[in-house]
Amino acid sequence: MSFRASSALAFRASTSLRAGKARNDVPIAMSKWWGSYKAQDGVVTQQLSPYEQQAVMPWVRTWPKRLVTKFTSTAMDWVPPFVIMIGIVEWSEWKHAEIAHHHRD
């Protein structure tokens, strides 16, 4: 008796138990877990509410007002440092040009 024939005889009981229940869409280790799962064709399990169909539009309608409000309410936090930074950059450029051209008099 060949090896192939003896292995077929050795596993003949397990193949008859799994006949008709074999699942190809899940791993073999999970076939017992998913064996009793029945596919539900055409059953709606989730739906989109009419209030959620335009989820972005309320934000688009209100963003200009919110942008102006945020911009003006936080202006005192970022305008003075920005003005000081621009002043320092302009002063340093002027001072560098003065030092660089000082010997040319």
Side-chain angles (χ1 to χ4, degrees), residues 40-52:
Q40 299 176 353
D41 292 330
V43 177
V44 176
T45 58
Q46 230 178 0
Q47 64 184 10
L48 187 61
S49 168
Y51 299 107
E52 295 174 337

Side-chain angles (χ1 to χ4, degrees), residues 36-71:
S36 62
Y37 176 77
K38 303 289 188 260
Q40 299 176 353
D41 292 330
V43 177
V44 176
T45 58
Q46 230 178 0
Q47 64 184 10
L48 187 61
S49 168
Y51 299 107
E52 295 174 337
Q53 287 181 357
Q54 293 186 359
V56 179
M57 285 308 295
W59 179 81
V60 171
R61 285 187 205 117
T62 61
W63 76 266
K65 181 180 180 251
R66 292 175 58 199
L67 182 67
V68 169
T69 303
K70 295 253 185 201
F71 186 78

Side-chain angles (χ1 to χ4, degrees), residues 11-24:
F11 294 111
R12 70 180 178 269
S14 62
T15 56
S16 63
L17 287 176
R18 291 190 36 85
K21 293 184 181 179
R23 292 187 58 123
N24 296 330

Side-chain angles (χ1 to χ4, degrees), residues 18-104:
R18 291 190 36 85
K21 293 184 181 179
R23 292 187 58 123
N24 296 330
D25 58 339
V26 294
I28 293 173
M30 296 296 291
S31 62
K32 183 176 181 182
W33 179 270
W34 287 100
S36 62
Y37 176 77
K38 303 289 188 260
Q40 299 176 353
D41 292 330
V43 177
V44 176
T45 58
Q46 230 178 0
Q47 64 184 10
L48 187 61
S49 168
Y51 299 107
E52 295 174 337
Q53 287 181 357
Q54 293 186 359
V56 179
M57 285 308 295
W59 179 81
V60 171
R61 285 187 205 117
T62 61
W63 76 266
K65 181 180 180 251
R66 292 175 58 199
L67 182 67
V68 169
T69 303
K70 295 253 185 201
F71 186 78
T72 56
S73 67
T74 61
M76 289 308 293
D77 294 335
W78 61 268
V79 169
F82 189 73
V83 169
I84 290 170
M85 180 194 70
I86 295 295
I88 290 173
V89 168
E90 291 297 322
W91 175 81
S92 63
E93 292 287 331
W94 170 77
K95 190 66 174 172
H96 175 63
E98 182 185 348
I99 293 171
H101 294 64
H102 178 60
H103 66 283
R104 293 183 182 181

